[in-house]
Amino acid sequence: MNYSNFEKQINYETTFIENNSGLIKNMTASDYVTDYTRSDLDMFAGIDCSITSDRTMKGLALRIRRPRYEKWNKNFTISGHIENPNSQIRVLLNSINGDAFYPHLILQINGVNDSGDCEKAKAILIQSNVFAKYLSELINRNKLEDFYNQELDAYEFNFIQIFKALDNGVTLFGIENNRILYEISNS
């Protein structure tokens, strides 16, 4: 892995959390957001921050894309090939195995500029255990590789496709100037 790119991504995520904790709170219906980028939770479990509501704490994995990735702005990304022991797929599958720390939720926001602002963005919030069951089904049917994008070294899923494939646990957001314009949930 190119460490300078990793460091830039960490700075990008930290900037987003610092500048948009209110937006994260609104999308996750939480009261507090705590940054864990650069921590062991981030490195080993993919938890970028925690959210707390009514004395319940959950881990949140962030996926943030810049506006220049417009062609993928309605896609959801899971990094790394499943054969990689550090892939996000393996982390997510832990949510149904229950043997390790894992993020309870995944929030991907597409359209975040370098200052951490969402001038015009789309977002998807997914419950990890619900998505992991879907991933497990794809693996069992030998269909997971249909979603792999070698150029990105990631699995790419369309927001609407995931929304329709899962009975619950998915919320879509339209965001403009760091404010939620609309929210569509299948919960």
Side-chain angles (χ1 to χ4, degrees), residues 12-183:
Y12 186 45
E13 289 173 352
T14 300
T15 299
F16 179 78
I17 295 167
E18 287 173 359
N19 293 348
N20 291 291
S21 63
L23 184 59
I24 294 170
K25 288 176 194 176
N26 288 339
M27 286 191 282
T28 61
S30 57
D31 300 317
Y32 302 100
V33 175
T34 305
D35 184 355
Y36 285 111
T37 54
R38 303 181 196 277
S39 74
D40 285 349
L41 280 174
D42 184 12
M43 206 175 333
F44 296 111
I47 296 172
D48 297 300
C49 61
S50 68
I51 54 172
T52 308
S53 180
D54 297 328
R55 300 183 54 83
T56 301
M57 182 182 284
K58 295 180 181 178
L60 180 69
L62 289 174
R63 303 289 302 148
I64 303 172
R65 279 200 173 139
R66 290 172 171 80
R68 70 176 177 252
Y69 296 110
E70 179 67 26
K71 70 179 181 179
W72 291 303
N73 84 341
K74 294 179 183 166
N75 284 0
F76 175 68
T77 308
I78 302 296
S79 295
H81 195 274
I82 192 167
E83 291 177 2
N84 177 342
N86 297 320
S87 72
Q88 286 186 324
I89 295 276
R90 289 182 181 262
V91 169
L92 290 173
L93 291 174
N94 284 335
S95 70
I96 51 179
N97 299 335
D99 292 340
F101 283 115
Y102 60 88
H104 292 85
L105 299 164
I106 307 158
L107 176 61
Q108 179 156 334
I109 303 171
N110 298 337
V112 178
N113 66 24
D114 288 337
S115 302
D117 293 321
C118 304
E119 293 171 16
K120 193 167 191 155
K122 300 203 181 334
I124 186 168
L125 180 67
I126 300 178
Q127 291 178 358
S128 296
N129 60 344
V130 174
F131 189 59
K133 289 175 186 171
Y134 174 70
L135 292 173
S136 185
E137 289 173 21
L138 291 175
I139 291 166
N140 291 338
R141 293 189 344 240
N142 293 318
K143 295 289 185 184
L144 182 63
E145 292 308 303
D146 294 350
F147 298 93
Y148 186 69
N149 181 324
Q150 191 167 2
E151 177 186 343
L152 298 175
D153 185 27
Y155 295 89
E156 287 283 313
F157 302 90
N158 180 275
F159 281 8
I160 300 300
Q161 177 185 32
I162 293 299
F163 187 84
K164 289 179 179 178
L166 304 177
D167 293 337
N168 62 41
V170 181
T171 306
L172 305 174
F173 299 92
I175 302 166
E176 194 168 297
N177 297 320
N178 295 336
R179 298 203 185 282
I180 298 171
L181 294 180
Y182 64 86
E183 175 180 332

